[in-house]
Amino acid sequence: MSEIKRAVVSSTARDLPEHRKQVMDACLRQSYQPKMMEHLPANSDDAIAASMKLVDEADIYIGVFALRYGYVPAGHDISITEMEYNRAVERGIPRLIFIAGEDHPFTAKQMEPEPENIPKLRAFKERVGKELVVNFFNSHEELRTLAVHSLSQLPKDPNAAFQYHIISSIPDLSKPYIAHPYVLSEAKGLIGRNFELNLLTYWITGKTVSFSDGYRRNLAPVRIFNIVAIGGMGKSALTWEWFNKIAPQEWPQVQGRVWWSFYESDARFENFVLRTLAYLGKMPIAEAQKYDVNQREDLLLQLLNEQPHLLVLDGFERELVAYTRLDANRLADDEYETATANYVANAIGLPESAAQSFTGQHRLRHTADRRTGQFLKRLARVEKSRILITTRLYPFELQMRNGNPMPGCDASFLYGLNDDDALHLWREFGATGPRERLLPLFRRFGSHPLLLQALAGEIARFRPAPGDFERWQEANPDFNPFSLPLVQAKTHVMQYALQGLDAAERQVLRTIAAFRMPCSYDTLLGICTGEGKPCADSTALDRILTELEDRGLVGWDKQHNRYDLHPVVRGVVWTGTNADEQRGVYEVMHTHFSAAPMVEDYLEVNSLEDLTPAIELYYALVGLGRYDEAFEVFKDKLEAATLWRLGVGRQRVELLEKLFP
């Protein structure tokens, strides 16, 4: 993993908050960590020291100058902003300079308030202009474009485009261990779900839940609580909001908090045990690795029994038979409700009419690894800690034969938003329309949050009448989910939500959908920019990614600069891609992964993730119908490692099946 470079952003702060935000996002887009002093200490000496420290820790300097000179500390002749520039000059680090142009609109509050500083500001700008090539901007949007372009011209790590897996560092217990941050946020924060948020709080505090029908329920004995829902219902967003903002306040005695997402490529269950043990046990990974797998599990359970800890296992269905597949991120799960008897007697939110026979129907809900299932059962008996699971399917190992949850376990089934929350989400994304017309539409596709935000994002960008649902519907007379069964209605809505994308935006979206894992910016930059590609340069790619993010279609992990699609979006995008378009994507991926460095000696392979470039190249060749070449890749790069080194029989079968369409 290449080291993340740091960029110090130097400017006056009070007059340029939006400009600084745009520069910060430009840094993150180009894989630089922004270092910013938003609130200087009260003591001037401390302010100078803190500012100089930021510059000393940076790899590049970014200066943004407008109509204010900045704070001049007592006893000094120049502002802290100019001091920061001088320190960057002393260190000899690259300097990128952006100055507001003459046509940039400013308010009186953004002008220099001290008359004696105006000549100093003019002299500073003149000096900088003589020393460096300066970029001029007339809006914060133009500043972002210029910053993205300038940062893209700096030297890059040539291997950055071939780094696929992120392993987060493990903090001490004073901070939560977020192994895989959640980035597929539903909107500008969580919309609604107050009942579910309160339900989780009642569970963690041992309070009795009161339902609208007068029924009361005490969740204090529950050690493992499951949030169960099909994809796109917002179970991860709900849990992420509660984990970060509510749980620490409502359960102050909690010692350690872990967020682990099984949607990530490195998130196998054995890694969860290893890394959680290192975190809760306050030990380096190397020390935790000295224990065998049995000892690790025993030690972790011991820690969970001794102190109150909170574990969130997000996307646990990836550990179940139904989803233990290399293409799990594209699976539609509506029909699994019946195929798996996804029913838990007396579960919250699940009506009695949903009961099904368990004979032979629960096998897809078993953990794919028997050891994982056994450990789950042991987790249900811990005393002081609590485990929250989000999953599309309720794990069978946590259920008794009569359909009831095992002692120490419970579940809540999550469905669409209520009417008020659905309307709130709709309007947050800039769409309008009368309540009496909107609510029947929302109910037709189950008030599915992801579909709501995607469709609202499309209508908000309807050029003849932005945000006007009625005008949009008049222009799209074929939009009629009322005539379709529920599953087809959802696909129908998502297809219309995507129709406003231009050709380049669609191609970038298809490219991200083709990956089986989050895609790094550097990978997208290599695949999507250049002659004959959807984006001419990095600024064009930035514009497209911003548009897709604003529509709620793409999630951006700013910390690691990676991009991902919700499985619902990924499935619709890919199935809606015709054969020629898919072939074009596979051609590009074949070129990319053919150039990727691969592990040559199978004895050096330690995990399936080490084989990622070879597996992706294999899939690209299969997608192109070049089966003989795909088999050669399997034989040369995958055969020995998967058989003798890793023993991943299920994945071997899945790979080989692709050779026989």
Side-chain angles (χ1 to χ4, degrees):
M1 180 60 59
S2 60
E3 182 181 355
I4 296 178
K5 293 188 175 182
R6 296 173 291 272
V8 60
V9 180
S10 176
S11 79
T12 51
R14 291 182 180 179
D15 56 322
L16 300 173
E18 184 59 35
H19 296 75
R20 290 173 66 82
K21 179 183 181 300
Q22 295 295 338
V23 173
M24 180 185 72
D25 278 356
C27 291
L28 293 169
R29 186 78 88 199
Q30 290 293 328
S31 300
Y32 283 91
Q33 178 186 356
K35 307 285 287 184
M36 306 172 72
M37 179 62 75
E38 298 300 293
H39 304 288
L40 292 174
N43 182 283
S44 60
D45 292 333
D46 289 343
I48 295 172
S51 294
M52 296 306 103
K53 185 173 185 290
L54 285 180
V55 181
D56 290 342
E57 293 174 345
D59 298 291
I60 68 165
Y61 168 94
I62 299 176
V64 182
F65 310 130
L67 301 183
R68 283 196 176 205
Y69 181 58
Y71 171 61
V72 179
H76 295 268
D77 295 325
I78 62 175
S79 68
I80 290 179
T81 304
E82 188 165 358
M83 292 179 194
E84 291 173 342
Y85 177 81
N86 291 342
R87 179 59 67 89
V89 173
E90 292 173 9
R91 292 194 57 223
I93 59 176
R95 287 162 284 152
L96 304 179
I97 304 300
F98 305 93
I99 296 180
E102 294 181 356
D103 295 330
H104 193 304
F106 283 110
T107 65
K109 291 183 179 180
Q110 293 173 297
M111 307 293 185
E112 174 56 55
E114 304 294 339
E116 66 272 18
N117 286 340
I118 295 176
K120 293 181 180 180
L121 174 62
R122 186 182 303 116
F124 178 43
K125 288 182 178 178
E126 289 175 356
R127 170 196 164 197
V128 171
K130 292 177 181 179
E131 295 177 353
L132 299 165
V133 175
V134 171
N135 292 275
F136 293 93
F137 61 92
N138 288 304
S139 68
H140 58 259
E141 294 90 352
E142 186 178 11
L143 172 61
R144 176 193 177 111
T145 299
L146 292 169
V148 167
H149 176 73
S150 298
L151 288 165
S152 72
Q153 303 305 302
L154 297 175
K156 288 257 185 177
D157 178 0
N159 292 319
F162 304 116
Q163 295 168 349
Y164 310 107
H165 307 286
I166 302 297
I167 299 178
S168 299
S169 59
I170 300 176
D172 58 51
L173 281 179
S174 66
K175 300 176 181 177
Y177 173 34
I178 299 175
H180 319 95
Y182 176 69
V183 300
L184 298 175
S185 181
E186 287 183 353
K188 303 146 180 87
L190 182 71
I191 302 295
R193 298 298 191 191
N194 290 326
F195 172 79
E196 290 80 8
L197 290 171
N198 289 331
L199 181 67
L200 292 175
T201 299
Y202 290 157
W203 163 58
I204 212 74
T205 57
K207 296 180 181 178
T208 298
V209 184
S210 297
F211 295 86
S212 57
D213 60 0
Y215 177 68
R216 294 167 62 84
R217 188 162 179 173
N218 191 332
L219 299 175
V222 177
R223 305 294 187 264
I224 300 182
F225 195 75
N226 297 262
I227 300 292
V228 187
I230 62 171
M233 280 297 166
K235 53 188 178 295
S236 297
L238 161 72
T239 310
W240 179 256
E241 176 88 0
W242 180 81
F243 175 85
N244 285 289
K245 297 181 180 180
I246 300 177
Q249 305 298 322
E250 297 291 344
W251 199 24
Q253 63 268 39
V254 66
Q255 298 296 303
R257 291 186 294 135
V258 177
W259 176 281
W260 186 274
S261 174
F262 288 97
Y263 293 124
E264 291 290 336
S265 52
D266 70 319
R268 300 183 312 279
F269 195 80
E270 57 266 32
N271 279 349
F272 160 72
V273 173
L274 173 66
R275 299 180 71 79
T276 303
L277 173 61
Y279 169 65
L280 298 183
K282 307 175 186 177
M283 65 180 77
I285 283 287
E287 182 178 343
Q289 288 173 325
K290 293 178 182 179
Y291 300 102
D292 64 36
V293 290
N294 293 312
Q295 291 173 319
R296 291 176 196 168
E297 292 179 1
D298 291 343
L299 285 171
L300 179 55
L301 288 168
Q302 180 180 330
L303 292 170
L304 293 172
N305 272 307
E306 290 174 349
Q307 296 289 337
H309 301 295
L310 175 62
L311 310 184
V312 175
L313 308 184
D314 184 42
F316 192 79
E317 74 271 1
R318 292 294 180 88
E319 291 295 304
L320 307 182
V321 170
Y323 288 91
T324 311
R325 300 169 48 167
L326 293 175
D327 63 347
N329 60 353
R330 291 183 192 155
L331 291 179
D333 49 10
D334 297 82
E335 297 178 1
Y336 273 166
E337 293 289 324
T338 300
T340 62
N342 195 24
Y343 167 77
V344 182
N346 300 314
I348 298 169
L350 195 67
E352 287 297 325
S353 59
Q356 304 171 42
S357 167
F358 281 79
T359 306
Q361 285 187 296
H362 53 71
R363 289 188 172 86
L364 290 175
R365 293 195 285 115
H366 281 267
T367 53
D369 186 329
R370 183 173 177 272
R371 184 178 203 94
T372 301
Q374 293 300 318
F375 188 76
L376 265 189
K377 293 180 178 180
R378 298 176 70 188
L379 275 178
R381 297 193 294 269
V382 300
E383 289 298 324
K384 295 190 175 180
S385 297
R386 297 294 181 267
I387 298 88
L388 178 58
I389 292 177
T390 74
T391 178
R392 299 188 188 188
L393 299 174
Y394 186 83
F396 181 72
E397 280 80 0
L398 300 182
Q399 194 167 19
M400 297 189 295
R401 295 290 176 179
N402 63 1
N404 287 304
M406 284 185 58
C409 303
D410 210 332
S412 176
F413 282 70
L414 193 64
Y415 295 100
L417 296 174
N418 64 43
D419 290 348
D420 289 338
D421 289 344
L423 286 167
H424 186 186
L425 177 60
W426 181 261
R427 305 199 194 290
E428 276 290 316
F429 273 82
T432 63
R435 182 185 182 96
E436 62 272 14
R437 290 194 62 183
L438 291 174
L439 291 181
L441 170 65
F442 298 165
R443 293 164 187 159
R444 185 65 201 96
F445 53 85
S447 295
H448 193 289
L450 181 63
L451 297 179
L452 276 168
Q453 72 176 38
L455 184 60
E458 167 65 17
I459 293 169
R461 289 159 177 79
F462 179 53
R463 290 189 181 277
D468 191 324
F469 169 68
E470 294 181 299
R471 289 279 302 278
W472 179 88
Q473 194 170 35
E474 290 173 5
N476 295 273
D478 293 333
F479 177 74
N480 184 20
F482 295 96
S483 63
L484 300 169
L486 179 60
V487 175
Q488 288 90 329
K490 291 179 180 178
T491 302
H492 180 76
V493 171
M494 181 57 76
Q495 288 170 343
Y496 271 86
L498 300 174
Q499 70 173 3
L501 300 177
D502 62 31
E505 291 164 347
R506 285 179 176 275
Q507 193 166 341
V508 171
L509 196 62
R510 284 196 296 267
T511 301
I512 300 174
F515 280 83
R516 298 178 303 107
M517 68 198 81
C519 186
S520 74
Y521 174 80
D522 291 295
T523 299
L524 285 177
L525 190 67
I527 289 178
C528 296
T529 62
E531 187 176 353
K533 296 180 180 179
C535 306
D537 52 29
S538 59
T539 57
L541 178 60
D542 175 64
R543 180 195 67 78
I544 288 177
L545 290 174
T546 301
E547 172 70 10
L548 297 176
E549 293 152 20
D550 289 345
R551 285 172 172 261
L553 298 174
V554 169
W556 179 18
D557 176 359
K558 293 186 177 182
Q559 181 180 352
H560 303 113
N561 204 9
R562 299 187 308 159
Y563 303 83
D564 201 7
L565 306 182
H566 193 283
V568 174
V569 178
R570 190 187 302 271
V572 172
V573 168
W574 195 246
T575 55
T577 303
N578 64 43
D580 289 340
E581 291 168 337
Q582 288 188 2
R583 183 173 184 84
V585 174
Y586 282 132
E587 289 280 9
V588 170
M589 296 187 72
H590 171 256
T591 301
H592 177 75
F593 287 106
S594 294
M598 301 184 190
V599 180
E600 298 298 332
D601 185 354
Y602 80 93
L603 294 175
E604 296 179 2
V605 174
N606 296 310
S607 68
L608 204 60
E609 287 73 55
D610 294 337
L611 300 175
T612 292
I615 292 174
E616 296 300 330
L617 177 60
Y618 176 86
Y619 269 95
L621 288 167
V622 168
L624 292 169
R626 293 157 62 173
Y627 298 105
D628 289 343
E629 294 175 65
F631 177 67
E632 290 299 319
V633 170
F634 181 87
K635 185 177 65 174
D636 295 342
K637 306 294 184 185
L638 302 172
E639 167 75 9
T642 55
L643 179 61
W644 304 113
R645 183 68 173 166
L646 302 178
V648 285
R650 184 179 295 103
Q651 286 80 4
R652 282 173 56 83
V653 169
E654 184 180 336
L655 287 166
L656 289 170
E657 281 180 339
K658 299 295 182 183
L659 298 176
F660 305 94

